[in-house]
Amino acid sequence: RAQKEKYLPALARGELRFSFALTEPGAGSDAANLGTKAVFHDGAYWINGSKMFITGAGVSDVVVTLTRTGPQRYKGITAFLVDKGTPGFNVAREIPTMGDNWDPHELQFTDCAVPDANRLGETGEPRQCDRVECGQAGKPAGGHDGGTCPRH
């Protein structure tokens, strides 16, 4: 409920832009092989890793970021709302493309502390990423699909 109160009114007014971060170097959009990790310590999740080809990340205020929180291939996946300006979160570079202007970026997470309040769903619950993607979370920023999550 707190997430809805914090993000949805501004999103509905067009004041917030979101991106969806799944794709990684070496794993592509294969969620089972995510390398970006989130570890809970001292009241926050500490995210480390990188994402590639994230549509609209250069103009997004919030990035829905899929991370590895457990050893299981799919059940070890947790999504977080990472706000622009969070220490340790960096929109590293724009990735040049030919044709369509879809604004892909590389993202880096280095000891990026995200509060538990920014966790989407339960830790390690893979069905949450279906809800995020089916809800089109990645579209407000760039207008393209942000990726695909596994079906169970």
Side-chain angles (χ1 to χ4, degrees):
R1 180 171 170 93
Q3 291 171 347
K4 289 179 182 178
E5 291 173 359
K6 179 179 178 181
Y7 294 104
L8 287 182
L11 178 64
R13 290 190 303 269
E15 298 168 0
L16 279 181
R17 293 182 182 191
F18 281 67
S19 289
F20 183 79
L22 167 63
T23 307
E24 295 187 354
S29 295
D30 178 7
N33 288 309
L34 287 177
T36 299
K37 290 184 172 48
V39 177
F40 190 76
H41 180 70
D42 288 337
Y45 283 90
W46 295 83
I47 301 176
N48 284 284
S50 61
K51 301 290 185 179
M52 292 291 290
F53 303 111
I54 306 307
T55 303
V59 296
S60 291
D61 302 296
V62 182
V63 178
V64 177
T65 305
L66 271 66
T67 66
R68 168 84 39 218
T69 53
Q72 304 93 341
R73 288 176 50 87
Y74 293 114
K75 290 190 178 254
I77 298 170
T78 305
F80 294 93
L81 296 165
V82 180
D83 296 311
K84 179 179 175 181
T86 300
F89 170 57
N90 181 35
V91 178
R93 67 181 175 100
E94 184 173 359
I95 300 168
T97 60
M98 294 177 60
D100 193 15
N101 184 18
W102 53 284
D103 191 35
H105 281 75
E106 177 183 357
L107 307 179
Q108 295 176 344
F109 300 87
T110 307
D111 295 329
C112 176
V114 176
D116 186 50
N118 283 31
R119 178 176 36 89
L120 288 174
E122 298 300 319
T123 302
E125 175 57 44
R127 297 303 294 181
Q128 76 195 331
C129 69
D130 290 343
R131 289 192 298 271
V132 167
E133 182 59 18
C134 291
Q136 310 281 315
K139 289 200 175 192
H144 289 273
D145 290 332
T148 322
C149 292
R151 298 282 177 203
H152 307 282

